[in-house]
Amino acid sequence: MAIGETAGRAGMATSALRFYESEGLIRSERTEGGQRRYAREVLRRLAFIRAAQNVGLTLDEIRAAMAALPAGRTPTPADWSRLSAAWRTRLDEQIEGLMALRDGLSSCIGCGCLSLRTCRLMNPGDELAAAGPGANRLPSALRRPGRPGRPAD
Amino acid sequence: MAIGETAGRAGMATSALRFYESEGLIRSERTEGGQRRYAREVLRRLAFIRAAQNVGLTLDEIRAAMAALPAGRTPTPADWSRLSAAWRTRLDEQIEGLMALRDGLSSCIGCGCLSLRTCRLMNPGDELAAAGPGANRLPSALRRPGRPGRPAD
DNA sequence: TCACGACCTAAAGTGAACTCGAAGTCGGCG
DNA sequence: CGCCGACTTCGAGTTCACTTTAGGTCGTGA
């Protein structure tokens, strides 16, 4: 399949496919003239990438996960299934984190304190005293790239 | 308070405070020599910003929310409380979204299909046919800035 | 054969939320 | 009075996941 058809089927832009290829997430053959031709299997890889992103993985993590696929043969459904099984735990953790935040919020909403030191909304993980004040920990899917962890001070 | 002390108490870098000020999220007085001096109230604003970010709001949204604070007087605990009450709903939605994703995953994990068209993991909101295939919707806290919604095609 | 859309590369741009660095100034303690 | 750390501004850099643009090539239906 040419890049346009592949992208269309996967619901992505062609630029994304080129980008994924440059990042080593997918592979392609080339025609004589240098155009990409994708194997069917790539659709499954793209689906995996999409799904993994929904769960909050970065492309780095996704690449690492896919590196665990069998090298020689085309991956089977079972192979893909095994990979995605790990996501359940991850999702569970994310849900748990959000619920903790919500419950902390409930306990704060009445008082309006928003105290930096004592409010559970500020300090989800209890004290965190060693890491300095302020809430710094979020499930990784919630952490925003532009907001890197404070550098070691 | 000088910027260093304020930042220390809030658990943020001084650069963040300057940035927030440049973005109109906080305000300061200046000494004769041009240095910033912060009022106590700023600590509460910073706490609010931190908490709102934990819930997944952008600085734009946070600025908008804080614009609803009373202009003349110093905001009371009740004022802050009212603002943060809206977060509960938001968190509930986020949790619900993640749980739906997790349950979709459970139903997929056995089959390993990862089918672009039919897998619920790919298409959380059922068909979404109008918006094109692929899963495009995430709770905003999970959406990553670097990954903008596909432009209108 | 030729037109035209689909494709190619490489580099630069986007946006969020900051951080970092350079070059210079302030302020409070001794 | 002098020192030195804390402060100032401003512009550029960072991360992630792409998209956009410019300038050129491929491939296929008429």
Side-chain angles (χ1 to χ4, degrees), chain A residues 108-141:
Chain A
C108 269
I109 243 172
C111 70
C113 63
L114 288 172
S115 158
L116 279 169
R117 243 176 297 253
T118 63
C119 184
R120 289 183 52 207
L121 191 54
M122 297 305 118
N123 300 285
D126 274 334
E127 280 286 312
L128 286 181
N136 220 16
R137 257 128 256 274
L138 282 182
S140 65

Short mmCIF file of all heavy atoms in Angstrom, two decimals, chain A residues 108-141:
data_model
loop_
_atom_site.label_atom_id
_atom_site.label_comp_id
_atom_site.label_asym_id
_atom_site.label_seq_id
_atom_site.Cartn_x
_atom_site.Cartn_y
_atom_site.Cartn_z
N CYS A 108 -11.46 19.20 50.50
CA CYS A 108 -10.96 20.57 50.52
C CYS A 108 -12.03 21.57 50.15
O CYS A 108 -11.98 22.74 50.51
CB CYS A 108 -9.82 20.73 49.52
SG CYS A 108 -8.20 20.41 50.23
N ILE A 109 -12.98 21.10 49.37
CA ILE A 109 -13.93 22.02 48.78
C ILE A 109 -14.71 22.79 49.83
O ILE A 109 -15.06 23.96 49.64
CB ILE A 109 -14.86 21.23 47.82
CG1 ILE A 109 -14.65 21.76 46.42
CG2 ILE A 109 -16.30 21.34 48.22
CD1 ILE A 109 -15.37 20.93 45.39
N GLY A 110 -14.95 22.14 50.92
CA GLY A 110 -15.72 22.81 51.95
C GLY A 110 -14.95 23.94 52.62
O GLY A 110 -15.51 24.99 52.94
N CYS A 111 -13.63 23.73 52.77
CA CYS A 111 -12.90 24.70 53.57
C CYS A 111 -12.28 25.80 52.73
O CYS A 111 -12.06 26.91 53.21
CB CYS A 111 -11.80 24.01 54.38
SG CYS A 111 -10.44 23.40 53.37
N GLY A 112 -12.04 25.51 51.46
CA GLY A 112 -11.44 26.55 50.62
C GLY A 112 -10.05 26.94 51.06
O GLY A 112 -9.55 28.00 50.72
N CYS A 113 -9.40 26.05 51.80
CA CYS A 113 -8.13 26.43 52.40
C CYS A 113 -7.03 26.57 51.36
O CYS A 113 -6.35 27.56 51.28
CB CYS A 113 -7.73 25.39 53.44
SG CYS A 113 -7.44 23.75 52.74
N LEU A 114 -6.93 25.54 50.52
CA LEU A 114 -5.85 25.52 49.54
C LEU A 114 -4.50 25.78 50.19
O LEU A 114 -3.64 26.44 49.61
CB LEU A 114 -6.10 26.54 48.43
CG LEU A 114 -7.22 26.20 47.46
CD1 LEU A 114 -7.49 27.37 46.54
CD2 LEU A 114 -6.85 24.99 46.64
N SER A 115 -4.36 25.29 51.39
CA SER A 115 -3.09 25.51 52.08
C SER A 115 -1.99 24.71 51.44
O SER A 115 -2.13 23.52 51.15
CB SER A 115 -3.21 25.11 53.54
OG SER A 115 -1.93 24.85 54.07
N LEU A 116 -0.89 25.36 51.17
CA LEU A 116 0.20 24.69 50.49
C LEU A 116 0.72 23.50 51.26
O LEU A 116 1.12 22.51 50.69
CB LEU A 116 1.34 25.68 50.27
CG LEU A 116 1.15 26.60 49.08
CD1 LEU A 116 2.18 27.69 49.11
CD2 LEU A 116 1.28 25.80 47.80
N ARG A 117 0.72 23.64 52.57
CA ARG A 117 1.39 22.60 53.34
C ARG A 117 0.45 21.45 53.71
O ARG A 117 0.85 20.30 53.71
CB ARG A 117 2.03 23.18 54.60
CG ARG A 117 3.54 23.02 54.58
CD ARG A 117 4.14 23.69 55.79
NE ARG A 117 3.86 25.13 55.74
CZ ARG A 117 4.78 26.04 55.45
NH1 ARG A 117 6.00 25.69 55.23
NH2 ARG A 117 4.46 27.32 55.43
N THR A 118 -0.78 21.80 53.99
CA THR A 118 -1.64 20.76 54.56
C THR A 118 -2.68 20.20 53.60
O THR A 118 -3.16 19.10 53.78
CB THR A 118 -2.37 21.30 55.79
OG1 THR A 118 -3.23 22.37 55.37
CG2 THR A 118 -1.39 21.83 56.81
N CYS A 119 -3.02 20.96 52.57
CA CYS A 119 -4.14 20.53 51.73
C CYS A 119 -3.79 19.25 50.98
O CYS A 119 -2.74 19.16 50.35
CB CYS A 119 -4.51 21.63 50.74
SG CYS A 119 -5.95 21.22 49.75
N ARG A 120 -4.69 18.32 50.99
CA ARG A 120 -4.43 17.05 50.32
C ARG A 120 -4.48 17.22 48.81
O ARG A 120 -3.94 16.41 48.06
CB ARG A 120 -5.44 16.00 50.77
CG ARG A 120 -5.20 15.55 52.20
CD ARG A 120 -6.17 14.47 52.60
NE ARG A 120 -6.18 13.37 51.64
CZ ARG A 120 -7.23 12.58 51.44
NH1 ARG A 120 -8.33 12.77 52.10
NH2 ARG A 120 -7.16 11.59 50.57
N LEU A 121 -5.13 18.27 48.40
CA LEU A 121 -5.21 18.52 46.97
C LEU A 121 -3.85 18.92 46.42
O LEU A 121 -3.49 18.61 45.29
CB LEU A 121 -6.23 19.64 46.73
CG LEU A 121 -6.66 19.88 45.30
CD1 LEU A 121 -7.18 18.61 44.67
CD2 LEU A 121 -7.72 20.95 45.27
N MET A 122 -3.11 19.60 47.25
CA MET A 122 -1.78 20.04 46.85
C MET A 122 -0.79 18.88 46.92
O MET A 122 0.15 18.79 46.15
CB MET A 122 -1.23 21.12 47.79
CG MET A 122 -2.00 22.41 47.83
SD MET A 122 -2.21 23.12 46.23
CE MET A 122 -3.99 23.06 46.18
N ASN A 123 -0.97 18.04 47.91
CA ASN A 123 0.01 16.99 48.19
C ASN A 123 -0.63 15.61 48.15
O ASN A 123 -0.81 15.00 49.18
CB ASN A 123 0.62 17.23 49.58
CG ASN A 123 1.32 18.57 49.66
OD1 ASN A 123 2.41 18.74 49.14
ND2 ASN A 123 0.68 19.52 50.29
N PRO A 124 -0.94 15.16 46.95
CA PRO A 124 -1.67 13.90 46.82
C PRO A 124 -0.99 12.76 47.57
O PRO A 124 -1.66 11.96 48.19
CB PRO A 124 -1.65 13.64 45.32
CG PRO A 124 -1.43 14.96 44.70
CD PRO A 124 -0.58 15.72 45.66
N GLY A 125 0.31 12.69 47.49
CA GLY A 125 1.00 11.54 48.08
C GLY A 125 1.43 11.78 49.50
O GLY A 125 2.57 11.48 49.85
N ASP A 126 0.52 12.33 50.31
CA ASP A 126 0.83 12.65 51.70
C ASP A 126 1.95 13.68 51.81
O ASP A 126 1.84 14.76 51.23
CB ASP A 126 1.21 11.39 52.48
CG ASP A 126 -0.04 10.69 53.01
OD1 ASP A 126 -1.06 11.39 53.20
OD2 ASP A 126 0.01 9.49 53.20
N GLU A 127 3.01 13.33 52.50
CA GLU A 127 3.99 14.36 52.84
C GLU A 127 4.91 14.75 51.68
O GLU A 127 5.06 15.91 51.36
CB GLU A 127 4.84 13.91 54.04
CG GLU A 127 4.11 14.11 55.37
CD GLU A 127 4.05 15.59 55.78
OE1 GLU A 127 5.10 16.24 55.72
OE2 GLU A 127 2.98 16.08 56.13
N LEU A 128 5.53 13.78 51.06
CA LEU A 128 6.48 14.08 49.99
C LEU A 128 7.55 15.05 50.44
O LEU A 128 8.15 15.76 49.64
CB LEU A 128 5.76 14.72 48.78
CG LEU A 128 4.91 13.85 47.89
CD1 LEU A 128 4.35 14.70 46.76
CD2 LEU A 128 5.74 12.72 47.30
N ALA A 129 7.76 15.09 51.76
CA ALA A 129 8.63 16.13 52.32
C ALA A 129 10.04 16.05 51.71
O ALA A 129 10.67 17.07 51.45
CB ALA A 129 8.71 15.98 53.83
N ALA A 130 10.49 14.84 51.46
CA ALA A 130 11.83 14.68 50.93
C ALA A 130 11.99 15.36 49.58
O ALA A 130 13.04 15.92 49.26
CB ALA A 130 12.18 13.20 50.81
N ALA A 131 10.94 15.33 48.80
CA ALA A 131 11.01 15.89 47.45
C ALA A 131 10.67 17.37 47.44
O ALA A 131 10.54 17.96 46.38
CB ALA A 131 10.07 15.14 46.52
N GLY A 132 10.54 17.95 48.59
CA GLY A 132 10.18 19.36 48.65
C GLY A 132 8.66 19.52 48.62
O GLY A 132 7.96 18.57 48.26
N PRO A 133 8.20 20.68 48.99
CA PRO A 133 6.76 20.90 49.05
C PRO A 133 6.16 20.99 47.65
O PRO A 133 6.88 21.09 46.67
CB PRO A 133 6.65 22.25 49.77
CG PRO A 133 7.94 22.94 49.48
CD PRO A 133 8.97 21.87 49.32
N GLY A 134 4.87 20.95 47.61
CA GLY A 134 4.20 21.05 46.32
C GLY A 134 3.93 19.69 45.73
O GLY A 134 4.65 18.72 46.03
N ALA A 135 2.91 19.62 44.93
CA ALA A 135 2.55 18.35 44.34
C ALA A 135 3.30 18.18 43.05
O ALA A 135 3.20 19.00 42.14
CB ALA A 135 1.06 18.31 44.06
N ASN A 136 4.08 17.15 42.96
CA ASN A 136 4.96 17.01 41.82
C ASN A 136 4.68 15.74 41.05
O ASN A 136 5.20 15.54 39.98
CB ASN A 136 6.41 17.00 42.30
CG ASN A 136 7.27 17.79 41.36
OD1 ASN A 136 6.75 18.55 40.55
ND2 ASN A 136 8.56 17.61 41.45
N ARG A 137 3.90 14.89 41.61
CA ARG A 137 3.72 13.56 41.05
C ARG A 137 2.37 13.41 40.43
O ARG A 137 1.38 13.58 41.11
CB ARG A 137 3.73 12.56 42.19
CG ARG A 137 4.93 11.79 42.37
CD ARG A 137 5.37 11.89 43.81
NE ARG A 137 6.50 12.79 43.87
CZ ARG A 137 7.72 12.39 43.66
NH1 ARG A 137 7.99 11.15 43.39
NH2 ARG A 137 8.69 13.24 43.73
N LEU A 138 2.35 13.04 39.20
CA LEU A 138 1.09 12.76 38.54
C LEU A 138 1.29 11.45 37.79
O LEU A 138 2.40 11.09 37.46
CB LEU A 138 0.77 13.84 37.51
CG LEU A 138 0.23 15.16 38.05
CD1 LEU A 138 -0.07 16.07 36.89
CD2 LEU A 138 -1.04 14.91 38.83
N PRO A 139 0.19 10.75 37.56
CA PRO A 139 0.33 9.62 36.65
C PRO A 139 0.93 10.13 35.36
O PRO A 139 0.60 11.22 34.91
CB PRO A 139 -1.10 9.15 36.43
CG PRO A 139 -1.98 10.21 37.01
CD PRO A 139 -1.17 10.92 38.01
N SER A 140 1.81 9.35 34.78
CA SER A 140 2.61 9.89 33.68
C SER A 140 1.76 10.36 32.52
O SER A 140 2.14 11.25 31.79
CB SER A 140 3.61 8.84 33.20
OG SER A 140 2.90 7.77 32.64
N ALA A 141 0.58 9.79 32.37
CA ALA A 141 -0.27 10.24 31.28
C ALA A 141 -0.77 11.64 31.54
O ALA A 141 -1.18 12.35 30.64
CB ALA A 141 -1.46 9.31 31.10
#
